[in-house]
Amino acid sequence: MFIISTYPVAVLFCVITMICWGSWANTQKIAGKNWRFELFYWDYVIGVVLFSLLSALTLGSYGHGGRSFLADLKQADSGNLIKALIGGLIFNAANILLSAAISIAGMAVAFPVGIGIALVVGVVVNYASVPQGNLQYIIIGIVLIMAAIIVNAIAYQKSNKSNKKLSFKGLLLSVLAGLLMSLFYRFIASSMDLSNFEQPAVGKMTPYTAVFIFSLGIFISNFVFNSILIYKPFEGAPTSYRAWFKGKFTLHLTGILGGLIWGVGNSFNLIAAGKAGPAISYGLGQGATMVAAFWGVFIWKEFKQKDTSTGGLITAMFVLFIAGLGMLIYSGV
């Protein structure tokens, strides 16, 4: 099994997570021109499950340390399996809300608000469970990132004065998604032996096995959560599973690619958690907010109406995010 042995490599893996988690939604934007997000989301979930299985059978089964995937799965106790499944269920509820927020309000607001809240609350929850890292610098990092969230919300409001109703719905869904998103990581992290990936305690899982069970939780719960949205969407007319089966291969492939990208980030983040600690690993990964805001502002041009003051606010947001992430990294040195 592949295991990280140094903190700098763990930080590198968290940076890769940040890029993946902040970029997967581009596939939703691309597919969204011809494809409802409720239909896209099924392809995304399939991509998440496929990567978790591929990762478990390769990186999680070969190497010098730890139990192989199948051996680890056989010895995992029911309590830890349930924790990982619950983590997948919570994540799926949060991510569906986030996806809805993206389709309504755009990446530039949905990610900074939703994932920003998830970052702040999630870091607190994970640090309380496993107090690893300098608390003072973690707090400073959280404060800076929270300031960036507020600045982004102000910039979004300034650039969308003509559509207040749309702004309110997008912001509300983003907040709800963030609160739920802050909780899933603790469940999956507690199903693993974070202190020793090489020789995990009996009953605990390696990150590769935990990610696979977590992905099954997403897949199973999607039959409930996403089915509700297919027939009772947040916005627009209802669609159907018949429409999903009639979708073009390229549209399905785009969604699966989105799931694969997110899955890479998720696996890398949990692999890094053993060396960096869950609070720092989760916090750095959720720096995806900055990456997503970059895509939304500069690629998708979601702030089309911005004036000079709005441009300054966007710049300030990026500066605050970078400073906050820097504090989180330094807290683990």
Side-chain angles (χ1 to χ4, degrees):
M1 181 180 72
F2 176 78
I3 300 172
I4 291 176
S5 58
T6 65
Y7 181 68
V9 175
V11 169
L12 174 62
F13 270 50
C14 290
V15 171
I16 294 173
T17 294
M18 188 189 310
I19 295 171
C20 290
W21 281 359
S23 300
W24 73 264
N26 286 308
T27 59
Q28 180 184 338
K29 295 284 287 187
I30 293 169
K33 297 174 182 178
N34 303 294
W35 197 230
R36 288 284 294 273
F37 100 85
E38 296 91 348
L39 304 178
F40 162 89
Y41 196 76
W42 261 116
D43 298 321
Y44 164 84
V45 167
I46 291 171
V48 170
V49 175
L50 286 176
F51 182 82
S52 70
L53 182 59
L54 177 64
S55 174
L57 293 174
T58 54
L59 293 175
S61 297
Y62 298 96
H64 300 293
R67 293 185 288 260
S68 66
F69 166 57
L70 293 178
D72 192 50
L73 185 61
K74 289 178 181 178
Q75 66 81 50
D77 68 41
S78 59
N80 290 316
L81 291 170
I82 291 172
K83 287 177 184 177
L85 283 170
I86 291 175
L89 184 152
I90 294 173
F91 169 81
N92 199 30
N95 210 40
I96 283 178
L97 290 175
L98 179 64
S99 297
I102 291 170
S103 68
I104 294 171
M107 288 176 67
V109 63
F111 261 86
V113 175
I115 302 302
I117 290 173
L119 187 155
V120 173
V121 180
V123 167
V124 172
V125 170
N126 284 289
Y127 187 87
S129 300
V130 183
Q132 189 170 340
N134 187 302
L135 181 58
Q136 179 180 350
Y137 291 118
I138 290 176
I139 292 174
I140 294 173
I142 289 175
V143 170
L144 288 170
I145 291 168
M146 198 65 196
I149 295 169
I150 295 171
V151 169
N152 179 82
I154 294 171
Y156 178 78
Q157 186 179 33
K158 278 180 171 288
S159 66
N160 290 275
K161 291 180 180 178
S162 63
N163 203 341
K164 295 181 180 179
K165 184 178 179 181
L166 181 63
S167 173
F168 175 77
K169 182 183 285 187
L171 283 172
L172 178 61
L173 289 174
S174 298
V175 169
L176 292 175
L179 291 174
L180 280 174
M181 191 73 75
S182 67
L183 302 176
F184 86 88
Y185 198 87
R186 177 85 296 266
F187 282 93
I188 187 172
S190 64
S191 71
M192 305 184 298
D193 185 355
L194 292 172
S195 63
N196 191 351
F197 282 170
E198 191 167 355
Q199 295 295 330
V202 176
K204 292 286 188 177
M205 294 182 282
T206 70
Y208 300 95
T209 307
V211 166
F212 175 70
I213 300 301
F214 168 80
S215 299
L216 289 183
I218 296 174
F219 182 77
I220 294 169
S221 64
N222 209 45
F223 283 98
V224 177
F225 296 148
N226 204 25
S227 293
I228 292 173
L229 283 189
I230 283 175
Y231 297 107
K232 296 286 185 180
F234 286 110
E235 190 172 70
T239 182
S240 66
Y241 278 104
R242 181 178 297 178
W244 184 83
F245 283 105
K246 289 183 177 180
K248 294 181 180 178
F249 175 75
T250 53
L251 289 174
H252 288 301
L253 197 60
T254 301
I256 291 172
L257 176 61
L260 291 172
I261 292 171
W262 189 89
V264 170
N266 189 47
S267 292
F268 275 36
N269 192 266
L270 286 165
I271 293 169
K275 185 57 63 174
I280 295 174
S281 182
Y282 176 83
L284 288 178
Q286 295 293 26
T289 313
M290 185 183 65
V291 177
F294 173 87
W295 287 111
V297 171
F298 297 108
I299 305 301
W300 298 108
K301 308 296 182 183
E302 291 176 348
F303 283 81
K304 293 178 181 178
Q305 304 171 30
K306 65 176 182 291
D307 54 24
T308 304
S309 63
T310 306
L313 288 171
I314 293 171
T315 301
M317 177 196 70
F318 283 117
V319 171
L320 288 167
F321 260 120
I322 292 171
L325 292 174
M327 286 293 102
L328 288 179
I329 292 172
Y330 189 69
S331 70
V333 176

